[in-house]
Amino acid sequence: AVVSTQSTGEMSVVQAIETVVVHPLVLLSVVDHYNRIDKVSSQKRVVGILLGSRRKGVLDVSNSFAVPFDEDDRDPDVYFLDHDYLESMYAMFKKVNAKEKIVGWYHTGPKLHPNDIKINEIIKKYCTDSVLVIIDAKPKDLGLPTDAYIAVEEVHDDGTPTTRTFDHVKSEIGAEEAEEVGVEHLLRDIKDTTVGTLSQHLTTQVVALKSLHSKLQDISVYLTQVSDGKLPVNHPIIYQLQDVFNLLPNLNVPDLMKAFTVKTNDQNLVMYTASIIRAVIALHSLINNKTTNRAAEKEGSKKVEVEKEDKEEKEKDTKEKEDSNKKEVKS
């Protein structure tokens, strides 16, 4: 998609945002902001500003800062966002890095709120293409903790006036080389050194399968509600689901089933052989350990006996010398 903007008599073409890349520094900053506010306040979510740059339809969110915010849970029209603090902080960040501009805002959700459109209109004063990124500080489900949205005009079929709503944008986690090094150092501190690479690989696969299962459940619930008439048919979603189903392999082909069976048997054979070898090595080490301990015990007992004999001989020699000295004294 391409967006055209008129500026100073010239037409400039800006590509619409297709992907939002969130850096680890932003995630750490948002989680720290949420935890600090959660300790001293009963506020359910926190709000902040996102900084970054934009290139070829990709929005790169590389930094952020918190903004004082409060709202009334009972009335979504009652909220407070400190504009002066926002402008002061942005001015200081701009002095440090002029390339980082305001690209949107964040809150910890974990879902959209009724007043998000109004808050987004305020942020649009500083960024015309403001993006909202919901960052779940306490994720319960598997998957990425980020959801990106952009405000669009929704046109109604019945001719009623258009309304502002949010359209979902693809989001992902990305990092530069320096950030990757920092994240690796953090993970090194919490990494369990007693767990082998095979266990880590299997754990990763289990987590991926759980995430896939949750996504399939969401698809099943959505299709059930559409078939029951509870939700309207969304043709783009149906087309994407059809593309997913078309990519699934046909498992009813005999050659494919045989190939899967052979592959599984080969893997099981390797695991079985490795288990036998591991057991044999463990028994061999146990026998060697017992043999070494017995030899050490025998050597220790022999050494004690030799020391005891040497001590008795020394005492005997000492006694004989004392007796001879006494005889000489008498004579």
Side-chain angles (χ1 to χ4, degrees):
V2 176
V3 178
S4 300
T5 58
Q6 188 77 25
S7 175
T8 64
E10 297 180 356
M11 183 69 72
S12 61
V13 180
V14 180
Q15 189 173 359
I17 297 173
E18 298 176 357
T19 305
V20 177
V21 180
V22 182
H23 287 235
L25 178 62
V26 178
L27 298 178
L28 294 174
S29 177
V30 172
V31 172
D32 179 67
H33 180 200
Y34 178 81
N35 289 333
R36 289 176 184 272
I37 296 298
D38 187 53
K39 292 179 180 178
V40 297
S41 173
S42 60
Q43 192 173 330
K44 294 183 178 180
R45 63 170 179 165
V46 296
V47 174
I49 299 299
L50 299 175
L51 304 174
S53 58
R54 178 175 171 178
R55 62 184 190 282
K56 295 181 180 180
V58 178
L59 184 64
D60 198 53
V61 182
S62 56
N63 207 344
S64 66
F65 62 86
V67 175
F69 174 79
D70 199 2
E71 61 183 341
D72 189 352
D73 296 334
R74 294 169 292 182
D75 188 357
D77 294 332
V78 179
Y79 60 89
F80 167 74
L81 184 70
D82 197 335
H83 301 255
D84 296 334
Y85 181 87
L86 190 158
E87 293 173 0
S88 301
M89 287 294 294
Y90 179 54
M92 288 187 287
F93 270 91
K94 196 173 182 179
K95 291 180 181 179
V96 177
N97 190 352
K99 293 182 179 180
E100 291 183 346
K101 302 180 182 298
I102 294 179
V103 295
W105 62 292
Y106 72 83
H107 71 76
T108 53
K111 300 295 181 182
L112 288 169
H113 285 238
N115 55 5
D116 286 347
I117 285 290
K118 296 180 180 180
I119 299 174
N120 191 73
E121 292 299 322
I122 297 174
I123 305 300
K124 287 184 70 175
K125 297 179 182 178
Y126 308 96
C127 175
T128 56
D129 297 329
S130 175
V131 172
L132 166 61
V133 178
I134 298 178
I135 301 175
D136 193 356
K138 293 183 177 181
K140 297 179 181 178
D141 299 328
L142 298 173
L144 294 179
T146 58
D147 286 310
Y149 300 91
I150 188 167
V152 295
E153 292 283 351
E154 185 178 10
V155 180
H156 301 285
D157 297 334
D158 54 2
T160 56
T162 60
T163 56
R164 303 286 291 179
T165 184
F166 282 111
D167 190 16
H168 189 268
V169 182
K170 185 177 73 171
S171 63
E172 59 185 40
I173 306 298
E176 297 179 355
E177 184 177 357
E179 291 176 311
E180 290 179 354
V181 173
V183 172
E184 287 178 359
H185 279 288
L186 290 175
L187 293 176
R188 188 178 301 170
D189 294 335
I190 62 176
K191 184 179 179 182
D192 190 357
T193 57
T194 60
V195 180
T197 55
L198 178 60
S199 299
Q200 293 176 355
H201 180 66
L202 292 177
T203 303
T204 304
Q205 286 189 338
V206 170
V207 172
L209 290 175
K210 288 182 178 179
S211 178
L212 177 61
H213 183 260
S214 64
K215 298 294 188 298
L216 292 176
Q217 283 183 329
D218 294 339
I219 293 173
S220 176
V221 171
Y222 171 75
L223 293 177
T224 302
Q225 292 180 351
V226 171
S227 63
D228 294 340
K230 297 180 180 178
L231 289 178
V233 178
N234 190 316
H235 294 289
I237 295 178
I238 300 299
Y239 294 154
Q240 290 182 1
L241 290 177
Q242 186 62 51
D243 292 338
V244 171
F245 295 146
N246 291 336
L247 293 174
L248 293 175
N250 185 9
L251 299 179
N252 294 325
V253 180
D255 293 338
L256 183 61
M257 295 178 63
K258 182 179 179 181
F260 273 120
T261 304
V262 172
K263 181 70 173 178
T264 304
N265 290 338
D266 291 342
Q267 291 181 347
N268 290 335
L269 177 62
V270 172
M271 294 176 63
Y272 180 67
T273 306
S275 299
I276 293 177
I277 294 173
R278 185 176 180 180
V280 171
I281 292 174
L283 290 173
H284 188 265
S285 300
L286 179 61
I287 293 172
N288 284 340
N289 189 22
K290 286 188 175 182
T291 305
T292 304
N293 291 337
R294 287 180 180 178
E297 289 176 357
K298 289 181 179 180
E299 291 180 358
S301 59
K302 288 181 180 179
K303 188 175 181 181
V304 170
E305 291 178 357
V306 171
E307 290 178 353
K308 187 177 180 180
E309 291 178 355
D310 293 339
K311 187 177 180 180
E312 290 177 351
E313 290 180 357
K314 287 181 180 179
E315 290 178 352
K316 186 177 180 181
D317 294 338
T318 303
K319 189 175 181 180
E320 290 178 352
K321 287 182 180 179
E322 290 178 355
D323 293 340
S324 60
N325 290 334
K326 288 180 180 180
K327 291 180 180 179
E328 290 177 358
V329 169
K330 290 180 180 180
S331 59

